[in-house]
Amino acid sequence: MEKQFTIPPLRPATTMKKAPEPGPFGVLDTMRVGLVDQRSEITPKHPLEQSELFYELNQHHIKLGMANSISGSALPLTIQAERASAARIGRLPGVKSSYLHLEVFTGMDEDLSIEDVFDVPSPWEEGPQHSRCNATA
């Protein structure tokens, strides 16, 4: 079974959502569905919005497709295996992992994003470590 890696199209397919169906009395159940803007649900979204939602995934597929066309299917399979193993590496239970290996592998370690500036505080900044250990004992 050979897995094909192709470069995705630059223009994503537009998908139209179906309007929410009315309840048993002929009106929308706003308690379950919420307030719905009918126009935004029926009309297709701008192609750039759809493209921006999946930008990183599209870039990853483009790189895999280029690697497949240059050196065959062994390189994309190796890249996917390395990425999957980097995503599985974690710390001990209860301690949030930073996924540094995955960030270095994808090149995200060099980017300065909003999460780097306004990230949640570290577990040891919330309170002393020994007080949390003594509370569970």
Side-chain angles (χ1 to χ4, degrees), residues 10-135:
L10 294 177
R11 182 179 298 251
T14 58
T15 57
M16 292 186 60
K17 287 185 175 180
K18 292 188 340 185
E21 295 183 13
F25 299 109
V27 294
L28 288 175
D29 189 5
T30 55
M31 293 298 284
R32 294 185 186 162
V33 179
L35 298 174
V36 180
D37 182 16
Q38 295 292 330
R39 182 174 178 208
S40 66
E41 291 292 325
I42 296 172
T43 58
K45 296 184 178 181
H46 196 275
L48 280 179
E49 183 179 355
Q50 185 72 14
S51 176
E52 287 296 315
L53 281 175
F54 302 108
Y55 176 74
E56 292 178 10
L57 183 65
N58 286 340
Q59 290 299 314
H60 178 65
H61 287 306
I62 288 172
K63 288 178 184 176
L64 287 179
M66 287 191 303
N68 185 32
S69 63
I70 292 171
S71 62
S73 64
L75 183 61
L77 288 173
T78 306
I79 290 172
Q80 282 188 330
E82 177 76 20
R83 186 178 181 131
S85 67
R88 277 194 305 252
I89 296 174
R91 292 188 180 164
L92 293 173
V95 180
K96 182 182 173 189
S97 180
S98 64
Y99 296 107
L100 181 63
H101 184 194
L102 184 62
E103 286 184 5
V104 170
F105 184 73
T106 57
M108 297 285 292
D109 61 330
E110 298 175 355
D111 296 338
L112 185 64
S113 62
I114 194 73
E115 290 86 14
D116 295 330
V117 178
F118 297 114
D119 198 18
V120 295
S122 300
W124 51 85
E125 292 176 358
E126 295 171 359
Q129 181 71 25
H130 59 83
S131 65
R132 285 192 292 158
C133 291
N134 292 337

